[in-house]
Amino acid sequence: MTHPAEHQSALGSPVHPASADLRQWKEPHRGGPESQRLAFWDRAAGLLEWHTPWHTTHSWTPPDTHARRGPELGWFLGGRLNAAVNCLDRHLAAGRGERVALHFEGEPGDAESVTYADLHRRVSQAANALERIGIGAGDRVVIYLPVLVETIVITLACARIGAVHQLVFGGFSAEALRFRVEDTGAKLLVTTDGQYRRGAAVPVKANADAAVRGLTVDAGGTVEHVLVIRRTGSPVEWTSADLNGDGLGRDLWWHQTVETAPTAHQPQFFDAEAPLFIMYTSGTTGKPKGLVHTTGGYLTGALYSFLRLFAHPDPSARDDDVHWCTADLAWVTAHTYEIYGPLAAGATQVIYEGVPNVPHAGRHFDIIEKHRVTSYYTAPTLVRSLMGWFPEGVPAHYDLSSIRIAGTVGEAVNPEAANWLRAQIGRDTRTPEGSPALPLVDTWWQSESGSAVLSPRPESTRQKPGSVAQEMPGWEVEVVDEHGGATAAGVQGNVVVTRTGPSMARTVWGNPQRYYTSYWQKYADQGWFLAGDAGQRDADGDIWILGRTDDAINVSGHLLSTIEIESALVSHPDVVEAGVAPVHDATSGHAAVAFVVLTSAAHQRLSGDPAAEAELSSALRQQVTEVIGPVAKPRSVIPVPEVPKTRSGKIMRRLLSQLHDGEPLGDTTSLQNEPCVPRIQQICETRSTAPVKENTSA
């Protein structure tokens, strides 16, 4: 499908996002004419500053089943722009250079506020430094850093010169980092001497050295330099060898290379479809997939959805907005709602280096109070942790009155966590009757979509904790059966995206066939994207996400949602978090086993008391029976210190199944808490709860 757009005549001069009043926009109706939907995306793209206007809004070549190729997607073809210019330069030109862009809070207590003018200066220096060491358009740069101002600086510097960035969580192992360096063919790795984690300075560069060993240009690889930020003062090994003849050593200090570079930089402009970054997904089987996101379409989706969900609806009130997305910068949520979306909007935001309970469990509340945070976007797993740390509610001495809106992402938020967040974080937002009135946008989207696809609207008075409600404007989603037919209300099916937005990933880096087989093959004839999540619509047409399709548990023919069972368990006062996994059962095929993280009080009560543990296990199984029904009752309840999670906060239920049943483990390097895996494995082996499988081989 193509739709020519006369950019100048339709849109006129670009509208600065700070003054864009989306209340005046006509949003396309679901199932409406394609021309109306594309006209909407034309207008959304007009919120950006383009060096060259586009001639075609959208092109689409359907999936090819014979060639095993996914669709060829194109947005804003012919248009040229620069992502960093849209995040920085245009705000300076609009006279907003002295507005704070970033309130940085370090885990040890160091802090700084960085204006847009200062951020522009630092990014210009970094862009000059990158070019000095031979990085240019199309080159890949792997960024292995914690949440620092420098992480955003180097990310935007890559965008400014057209280099493709790939951010890696600073807590990942050398093995996980090495895979990404090798898979992208990176020329540069950016890292630190060390990082602060849970109150301690942890050396990091040794991991970086191990990751690039054998991958440097002198060894036949692609890495030419390792750029190192001095963060903790941790001792480091140093390689000064000149690998590519540029007169520089392999290892370079940031303060000597970047902070001495010129502060003026002339940006280049790139095709809308030029790659901007690669985002790796994680899984319990197979290697992570490197999803490729492009510049114009991704930035359009990020900016519009940030304004629609988190910015104050009244442009005249936006100067008081302070946004905080609590995600690590390496996660796609942070790319969209902590880097590109807020900065393209010219917003002020908080970035925090540390974990939420160092030096104490109320650290997030301190930060909200200090910076008068208005929008708080976090993961349900963190909300459940806060519930466990503050069983009596958030202490009254914290001033949380600035909070105007909250959001969740990563997994569908269970009702207990949603209600707690609205009542405790939003305690100053009440209806006349005294009920919690804090808007909660429970967003559903993926690394693949690049921006929010489903979410309740902030202005909606109909709050259904756990429901992601309706599509964002310009997207269309359906819940279908195996044959592509729409499921009836209350019937579980596959979540598919039937009309994608411009922020959609275009391919899998280096493996386009995997893009097809992972996402498009099942419904190739319809041209639908298979999200991999199960869901259902309710009587109002609102969508509820029930978890990953392969996490569903089939017990004697009854298809059960792991999230529903987990929500029932978390509603018990002794349970902070739960991960429910399908495990082998000789009679019913599958059985549910619950791995539960208990409150500190419950853990102390059960310590060394088998009778107390058996009593709690019985109570939790009965809780599920009462909430859902006997068929959903877990066969076993296993207390664990934590459950394995991806960086996005998704519980790795298939990994729990493998640990319980003693099966070979898939990829675990992309977990945010990989050390918990051997601990859970030991607990499962000690308990021997897995039944012996019959040997059916001849």
Side-chain angles (χ1 to χ4, degrees):
M1 61 186 78
T2 60
H3 175 69
E6 297 298 329
H7 173 67
Q8 294 296 333
S9 61
L11 300 172
S13 300
V15 176
H16 193 280
S19 60
D21 190 346
L22 300 190
R23 296 172 300 181
Q24 308 301 318
W25 287 35
K26 182 179 181 180
E27 297 180 350
H29 297 296
R30 183 174 183 272
E34 179 71 351
S35 59
Q36 183 186 83
R37 188 176 77 96
L38 297 182
F40 164 81
W41 284 121
D42 271 341
R43 189 171 187 182
L47 294 170
L48 298 172
E49 188 172 281
W50 294 78
H51 181 265
T52 306
W54 61 92
H55 56 70
T56 302
T57 303
H58 181 40
S59 65
W60 163 274
T61 302
D64 187 329
T65 56
H66 298 293
R68 297 175 66 77
R69 174 191 54 73
E72 295 176 0
L73 302 170
W75 285 89
F76 314 117
L77 303 178
R80 296 178 68 81
L81 76 168
N82 184 293
V85 166
N86 275 279
C87 291
L88 298 171
D89 303 55
R90 73 178 306 197
H91 305 316
L92 273 62
R96 300 173 63 83
E98 295 311 307
R99 179 175 175 82
V100 172
L102 305 172
H103 290 301
F104 167 74
E105 293 286 337
E107 187 178 279
D110 55 325
E112 68 171 322
S113 293
V114 181
T115 66
Y116 274 93
D118 190 29
L119 188 58
H120 177 266
R121 176 184 61 81
R122 298 190 197 189
V123 169
S124 296
Q125 286 184 305
N128 283 315
L130 289 175
E131 291 177 336
R132 167 68 180 87
I133 63 176
I135 304 299
D139 290 336
R140 276 78 65 201
V141 175
V142 171
I143 301 169
Y144 181 52
L145 297 173
V147 179
L148 301 172
V149 172
E150 290 87 348
T151 312
I152 292 180
V153 167
I154 195 66
T155 298
L156 292 179
C158 289
R160 193 172 187 87
I161 67 171
V164 182
H165 59 76
Q166 204 289 293
L167 273 70
V168 182
F169 171 51
F172 274 1
S173 66
E175 180 185 353
L177 176 61
R178 181 182 180 85
F179 171 79
R180 288 153 176 79
V181 170
E182 186 171 23
D183 196 55
T184 59
K187 288 180 68 174
L188 172 68
L189 172 63
V190 186
T191 189
T192 54
D193 58 347
Q195 66 179 14
Y196 293 104
R197 192 181 304 159
R198 300 190 183 279
V202 181
V204 169
K205 187 173 181 290
N207 274 1
D209 291 337
V212 302
R213 190 170 296 123
L215 300 181
T216 53
V217 290
D218 59 321
T222 59
V223 176
E224 298 178 358
H225 294 291
V226 177
L227 182 60
V228 186
I229 296 168
R230 182 179 284 159
R231 173 60 179 151
T232 62
S234 301
V236 296
E237 295 288 334
W238 203 255
T239 301
S240 300
D242 182 357
L243 301 185
N244 63 353
D246 63 3
L248 302 171
R250 188 203 79 171
D251 292 349
L252 304 169
W253 282 113
W254 176 279
H255 59 276
Q256 295 174 346
T257 306
V258 175
E259 294 177 4
T260 60
T263 58
H265 180 269
Q266 187 65 35
Q268 304 174 54
F269 297 92
F270 306 98
D271 288 340
E273 284 297 304
L276 179 62
F277 65 89
I278 300 169
M279 173 59 58
Y280 282 89
T281 65
S282 57
T284 55
T285 59
K287 295 179 179 179
K289 300 185 289 288
L291 297 158
V292 178
H293 283 282
T294 57
T295 305
Y298 169 78
L299 203 59
T300 296
L303 173 56
Y304 171 78
S305 58
F306 172 79
L307 291 172
R308 185 66 178 87
L309 293 175
F310 298 110
H312 198 291
D314 182 354
S316 68
R318 282 186 196 148
D319 282 347
D320 294 328
D321 279 356
V322 178
H323 178 65
W324 187 13
C325 170
T326 68
D328 185 89
L329 290 171
W331 183 27
V332 71
T333 292
H335 281 56
T336 304
Y337 300 115
E338 199 170 348
I339 303 177
Y340 287 108
L343 293 178
T348 295
Q349 62 176 326
V350 168
I351 61 172
Y352 173 50
E353 177 188 27
V355 295
N357 59 342
V358 172
H360 58 84
R363 185 71 184 271
H364 274 213
F365 307 141
D366 283 340
I367 293 172
I368 290 171
E369 181 174 352
K370 176 181 178 180
H371 294 295
R372 307 299 296 161
V373 171
T374 56
S375 51
Y376 182 65
Y377 190 39
T378 194
T381 52
L382 176 59
V383 178
R384 291 192 288 267
S385 294
L386 291 170
M387 293 169 63
W389 299 334
F390 296 97
E392 305 302 321
V394 179
H397 65 80
Y398 289 110
D399 181 1
L400 308 181
S401 60
S402 61
I403 293 290
R404 180 181 54 81
I405 189 169
T408 54
V409 64
E411 287 196 324
V413 64
N414 57 298
E416 283 286 322
N419 291 330
W420 189 92
L421 191 154
R422 296 186 75 210
Q424 294 297 319
I425 307 296
R427 62 191 177 196
D428 296 303
T429 306
R430 297 273 168 173
T431 66
E433 294 75 30
S435 300
L438 182 75
L440 176 61
V441 288
D442 179 13
T443 59
W444 177 86
W445 57 295
Q446 301 175 309
S447 297
E448 293 82 355
S449 70
S451 65
V453 177
L454 296 165
S455 177
R457 302 299 187 265
E459 69 275 12
S460 175
T461 58
R462 188 175 73 187
Q463 292 285 327
K464 298 179 181 178
S467 168
V468 291
Q470 299 289 340
E471 299 96 331
M472 290 289 289
W475 294 82
E476 295 195 8
V477 174
E478 193 52 84
V479 181
V480 300
D481 60 25
E482 293 297 306
H483 307 290
T487 58
V491 176
Q492 180 173 317
N494 296 320
V495 177
V496 295
V497 180
T498 59
R499 287 184 176 181
T500 64
S503 60
M504 197 78 188
R506 301 299 192 258
T507 189
V508 169
W509 179 263
N511 195 347
Q513 187 173 105
R514 196 175 181 195
Y515 183 63
Y516 170 74
T517 56
S518 297
Y519 305 116
W520 301 94
Q521 183 175 22
K522 186 174 183 65
Y523 297 105
D525 291 343
Q526 296 94 334
W528 295 345
F529 171 87
L530 177 65
D533 277 339
Q536 65 185 31
R537 289 191 184 271
D538 62 19
D540 296 320
D542 290 335
I543 292 177
W544 297 70
I545 300 297
L546 303 177
R548 300 297 293 172
T549 305
D550 58 4
D551 286 333
I553 303 177
N554 192 330
V555 179
S556 301
H558 298 276
L559 197 61
L560 304 173
S561 162
T562 54
I563 287 182
E564 287 183 305
I565 301 174
E566 289 163 2
S567 292
L569 291 164
V570 171
S571 65
H572 190 282
D574 283 340
V575 179
V576 174
E577 191 160 38
V580 173
V583 300
H584 172 73
D585 187 275
T587 302
S588 59
H590 274 161
V593 169
F595 295 79
V596 295
V597 180
L598 302 176
T599 64
S600 57
H603 181 74
Q604 292 174 5
R605 191 176 76 245
L606 268 59
S607 182
D609 188 345
E613 183 180 323
E615 182 181 344
L616 178 60
S617 175
S618 177
L620 292 176
R621 296 175 75 233
Q622 182 60 29
Q623 173 99 353
V624 174
T625 299
E626 293 174 358
V627 174
I628 302 175
V631 71
K633 182 169 61 177
R635 187 180 68 195
S636 304
V637 176
I638 303 175
V640 292
E642 54 185 328
V643 291
K645 288 175 281 192
T646 67
R647 282 305 305 161
S648 64
K650 291 184 173 70
I651 298 170
M652 299 290 270
R653 299 176 183 86
R654 279 295 172 186
L655 184 56
L656 290 173
S657 300
Q658 293 163 346
L659 288 166
H660 180 274
D661 287 355
E663 297 176 350
L665 304 183
D667 171 51
T668 64
T669 59
S670 296
L671 295 175
Q672 63 164 287
N673 55 348
E674 188 179 3
C676 77
V677 173
R679 298 170 69 186
I680 298 173
Q681 189 169 36
Q682 183 179 19
I683 290 170
C684 291
E685 290 174 352
T686 301
R687 289 173 176 263
S688 299
T689 55
V692 177
K693 296 183 182 180
E694 294 181 11
N695 186 351
T696 57
S697 59

